[in-house]
Amino acid sequence: MEKLTDQILHDVIKPRPEHSFKGTFGKVTLVGGNRNFGGAIIMAATASVCAGAGLVTVCTDQSNSGALHSQLPEAMFADFTNDTQVASLVTAATTVVVGPGLGDDDQGLHILKNVFAHTTSQQNVVVDGSAITLMAQEQLTAPRGNIIYTPHEMEWQRLSGIKIADQTHDRNRAARDKLDATVVLKKHHTEIYAKEQTYQLTIGTPAQAVGGMGDTLAGMVGGFVAEFHQTPLKAVLAAVYAHSAIAEQLAKNQYIVLPHQISRALPTFMKKMEAAPDEHHIGFLD
C-alpha cells in the first residue's frame, strides 16, 4: 500500500486559470435526501460547493428545498421525483453523486434506477450510502461512467460479500477488480483501491466519528473530480486527504469536528495548498 502524504494536495490543487468561468470547474448533480435524511444531501452538496465545483444542483425531496436554499444558496434545487428533470440533470453533469440520504425503500430504488439509466461513459459517478445498499440488495448493474464507491465497512460487506473481519487487502483488491471501479473504503485508516494501486490514508482523528462525515466526503470527492477532471484518481486521493487534514486541524481545539465545518474550511485550506510546498505549512488555521 502506498501511504498518502500532503504531496497529493500539491499535485492536484493548482492556481485557477485567469481565463475561467463556472463551466471550467465542472457541473455536479447530487441525488439523495428523502424526507427523513435531507441533511445528508445538504452536507454533501455543501462539500461540493466549497470544494470549488463550478455548478451544483441538488435533486432531493421537495421538503428539503427551503433548508437547502437557506443553508446553501449557491446550489440549485430539483425535485427528485421528477424523473424527466433528474434524467436531464444527470446526463448534463460532469460528475454525479448519488446516495446520501436517499433511503433504501421503493422510492429510493426507483430514483436510483433512473439515475443509473442516464449516466454517460464520460462522467464520474460517486456512489455512496443508500445507493450502495440498494445495489447490493437488488443486485443492480453498475451504471456507465468512471465509478467511485465510497462505502464504510458494513456497506462494503454488502457490496463485496466480504465480512468485515475478512476484509483483507488481497480480498478487497479482488473484489475491486471484479467491480472495475475505484473504492474508497472508509475506516480507521481509509484505503483507496484503484485499478493499479492501493493507497492508505494515515491521518485522521476520532473527532470525525460524527454523523454526516461520510456524506461530506462523498460531496468533496464529487467536487474534486468535477473541478480537477483531468486527473480523476488523484482528485479522489486529494479529497480524501484534505477531508482528514482539515479535521485534524479543527480537532486541536474541538472535542468533535462537525462535517459542515470541514466544508466551510475548504476554500481557505485549498488556497494554502495551491502554493508550492515550501511556501506554506499544513496548519492552515494557525
Side-chain angles (χ1 to χ4, degrees):
M1 269 188 211
E2 181 176 335
K3 310 294 186 184
L4 285 178
T5 70
D6 66 351
Q7 183 60 47
I8 191 62
L9 302 174
H10 309 303
D11 290 346
V12 172
I13 303 171
K14 304 293 185 182
R16 288 188 159 197
E18 288 293 332
H19 298 286
S20 302
F21 67 108
K22 60 189 176 185
T24 306
F25 305 108
K27 297 179 181 179
V28 180
T29 295
L30 300 102
V31 185
N34 63 19
R35 292 182 64 86
N36 294 325
F37 304 119
I41 202 68
I42 293 174
M43 284 185 284
T46 301
S48 289
V49 168
C50 292
L55 202 62
V56 174
T57 303
V58 183
C59 303
T60 188
D61 191 89
Q62 177 70 46
S63 65
N64 299 323
S65 62
L68 176 69
H69 288 148
S70 63
Q71 292 290 320
L72 193 66
E74 297 86 356
M76 295 177 291
F77 162 80
D79 186 340
F80 69 0
T81 64
N82 185 330
D83 290 349
T84 302
Q85 186 177 25
V86 170
S88 176
L89 289 166
V90 166
T91 301
T94 310
T95 296
V96 177
V97 179
V98 60
L102 179 64
D104 57 5
D105 56 7
D106 289 344
Q107 181 188 58
L109 178 60
H110 175 84
I111 292 167
L112 183 63
K113 286 181 175 180
N114 185 39
V115 170
F116 277 13
H118 292 95
T119 63
T120 70
S121 59
Q122 292 77 36
Q123 292 172 316
N124 298 296
V125 183
V126 181
V127 184
D128 183 64
S130 305
I132 295 174
T133 297
L134 284 168
M135 283 191 71
Q137 289 178 351
E138 305 297 327
Q139 297 185 328
L140 299 182
T141 301
R144 292 180 296 275
N146 172 38
I147 309 303
I148 304 160
Y149 295 109
T150 55
H152 55 58
E153 290 170 295
M154 179 53 71
E155 290 166 343
W156 181 235
Q157 175 176 304
R158 295 169 188 151
L159 186 63
S160 68
I162 307 169
K163 292 182 179 180
I164 294 176
D166 298 328
Q167 290 175 7
T168 63
H169 172 266
D170 289 345
R171 287 173 175 158
N172 291 340
R173 276 225 62 87
R176 188 237 73 93
D177 292 345
K178 186 176 180 180
L179 292 167
D180 192 25
T182 300
V183 177
V184 178
L185 179 54
K186 298 176 292 191
K187 56 196 296 188
H188 174 54
H189 287 308
T190 293
E191 296 166 357
I192 303 93
Y193 292 85
K195 184 175 182 179
E196 297 178 353
Q197 180 61 283
T198 306
Y199 304 86
Q200 186 177 51
L201 184 69
T202 59
I203 63 171
T205 167
Q208 290 172 269
V210 176
M213 198 60 69
D215 304 310
T216 294
L217 178 59
M220 279 181 65
V221 169
F224 270 57
V225 295
E227 183 175 9
F228 307 114
H229 53 85
Q230 300 90 344
T231 54
L233 175 57
K234 285 189 173 183
V236 172
L237 299 176
V240 172
Y241 194 93
H243 182 262
S244 287
I246 294 171
E248 278 194 347
Q249 287 295 310
L250 293 170
K252 289 181 178 180
N253 298 304
Q254 299 179 193
Y255 189 66
I256 61 166
V257 174
L258 300 179
H260 76 269
Q261 293 178 304
I262 294 176
S263 297
R264 296 303 182 188
L266 256 175
T268 300
F269 179 83
M270 293 175 75
K271 185 63 178 178
K272 293 284 188 181
M273 294 305 114
E274 75 172 5
D278 59 352
E279 295 176 6
H280 82 285
H281 54 91
I282 197 77
F284 71 105
L285 295 177
D286 298 341

